[in-house]
């Protein structure tokens, strides 16, 4: 019961915050709304008993990416122009509405093979086992490391003074 | 009615649609990047939802979500660096003005 209430609070706040990203006029307020949306996603992870992911979400998104976004907003001095739309507004709305309708129809009419054993509560040790143990994701982790190194180097090269 | 898999899937689809609409219509490149972050997060919600309700003992969905977060962090760093670089060269981050490759 408590999970239900938590889910509805997180879902409503998250969707309203995501709409705020689109409809707020000030770009800085948009970034703050994005941070609220990312926080509610962390709450959604907790209702799904994914405790490690909730921590990662707060560390990486709320702690890291939001700082990057706010820093980029401050560096580009475009706040005064506001959060404008381009000419594609109505076609994009139609496309997105059709997409949402199709995907909701497909999701709600599929009989998912839901199983209901009780969820694992501390997932961290199990996650580490699945990732690093036998038949794990070692190659993926190595590639992720290389990707992060390449991304950091690329970001430095891109914003370096000539 | 208790919360089931469908609730999470519908939430994920709604967030994805909002992010897609923003990514298609916004003129500030930074807001477009923010909307892409919303889309990536909505996919993560679907992943973790499937992991919780369909294979609760496997956790593969959560591992995929972790990899998505890694790629999203790299994407955000490079994307914001590109936006700042464009702002340095052209003095704008308006996507309708950045049309260097338009025929």
């Amino acid at each position: 019961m408590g999970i239900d209430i938590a889910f509805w609070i997180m879902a409503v706040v998250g969707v309203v915050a995501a709409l705020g990203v689109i409809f707020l006029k000030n770009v800085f307020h948009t970034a703050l709304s994005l941070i609220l949306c990312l926080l509610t996603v962390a709450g959604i992870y907790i209702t799904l008993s994914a405790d490690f992911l909730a921590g990662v979400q707060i560390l990486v998104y709320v702690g890291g990416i939001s700082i990057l976004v706010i820093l980029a907003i401050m560096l580009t001095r475009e706040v005064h122009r506001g959060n404008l739309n381009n000419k594609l507004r109505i076609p994009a709305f139609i496309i997105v509405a059709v997409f949402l309708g199709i995907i909701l129809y497909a999701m709600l009419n599929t009989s998912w093979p839901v199983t209901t054993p009780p969820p694992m509560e501390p997932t961290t040790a199990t996650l580490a086992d699945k990732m690093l143990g036998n038949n794990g994701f070692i190659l993926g982790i190595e590639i992720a490391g290389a990707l992060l190194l390449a991304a950091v180097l690329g970001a430095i090269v891109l914003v370096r003074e000539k | 009615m208790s919360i089931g898999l469908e609730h999470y899937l519908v939430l994920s689809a709604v967030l994805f649609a909002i992010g897609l609409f923003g990514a298609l219509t916004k003129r500030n490149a930074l807001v477009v990047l923010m909307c892409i972050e919303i889309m990536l997060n909505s996919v993560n919600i679907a992943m973790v939802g499937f992991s919780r309700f369909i294979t609760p003992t496997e956790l593969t969905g959560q591992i995929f979500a972790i990899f998505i977060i890694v790629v999203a962090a790299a994407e955000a760093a490079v994307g914001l660096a590109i936006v700042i670089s464009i702002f340095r060269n052209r003095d704008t981050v308006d996507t309708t003005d950045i049309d260097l490759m338009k025929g």
Side-chain angles (χ1 to χ4, degrees):
Chain A
M1 193 60 206
I3 295 267
D4 292 13
I5 297 170
F7 172 81
W8 285 115
I9 293 173
M10 293 298 170
V12 171
V13 173
V15 170
V16 168
L19 288 173
V21 173
I22 293 183
F23 291 115
L24 284 180
K25 294 283 174 242
N26 189 325
V27 179
F28 195 76
H29 295 168
T30 296
L32 295 181
S33 187
L34 176 79
I35 295 172
L36 181 61
C37 183
L38 298 175
L39 264 176
T40 60
V41 173
I44 291 284
Y45 289 158
I46 293 175
T47 68
L48 284 163
S49 63
D51 48 357
F52 179 74
L53 260 179
V56 168
Q57 171 85 10
I58 289 179
L59 278 175
V60 174
Y61 276 104
V62 184
I65 290 180
S66 60
I67 302 288
L68 271 180
V69 168
I70 288 178
L71 202 68
I73 288 174
M74 288 175 173
L75 282 175
T76 51
R77 299 198 304 269
E78 293 259 315
V79 181
H80 60 278
R81 295 187 59 183
N83 190 9
L84 301 170
N85 292 299
N86 61 16
K87 284 176 290 189
L88 286 174
R89 201 171 172 177
I90 289 152
F93 181 78
I94 293 169
I95 288 172
V96 168
V98 169
F99 168 80
L100 186 63
I102 290 173
I103 206 163
L104 283 184
Y105 177 81
M107 279 172 172
L108 296 179
N109 284 291
T110 309
S111 59
W112 303 103
V114 174
T115 52
T116 51
M120 287 180 261
E121 209 34 80
T123 56
T124 313
T126 324
L127 266 179
D129 241 22
K130 300 274 179 193
M131 279 181 107
L132 303 169
N134 281 337
N135 294 322
F137 293 81
I138 300 286
L139 180 64
I141 291 172
E142 299 284 345
I143 294 174
L147 174 77
L148 281 177
L149 180 66
V152 169
L153 290 179
I156 291 172
V157 169
L158 277 170
V159 297
R160 189 183 52 168
E161 296 282 351
K162 289 292 180 299
Chain B
M1 178 180 179
S2 71
I3 300 297
L5 176 59
E6 280 82 7
H7 291 81
Y8 289 99
L9 290 182
V10 169
L11 172 66
S12 158
V14 169
L15 280 182
F16 191 90
I18 293 171
L20 184 61
F21 179 74
L24 287 174
T25 57
K26 286 300 156 188
R27 279 177 62 179
N28 191 324
L30 289 170
V31 182
V32 173
L33 278 175
M34 291 187 216
C35 291
I36 292 173
E37 296 296 335
I38 293 178
M39 289 162 78
L40 288 163
N41 269 283
S42 75
V43 174
N44 273 347
I45 292 177
M47 284 277 184
V48 182
F50 281 129
S51 164
R52 163 73 177 81
F53 285 101
I54 293 185
T55 57
T57 57
E58 290 292 320
L59 291 185
T60 321
Q62 294 196 20
I63 293 173
F64 269 65
I66 290 174
F67 281 120
I68 293 174
I69 289 176
V70 170
V71 176
E75 175 259 351
V78 176
L80 293 171
I82 289 174
V83 170
I84 289 174
S85 180
I86 289 173
F87 180 76
R88 277 210 187 132
N89 288 319
R90 301 179 68 87
D91 227 30
T92 180
V93 291
D94 194 328
T95 50
T96 52
D97 293 339
I98 306 169
D99 51 3
L100 205 62
M101 290 176 74
K102 201 173 185 178

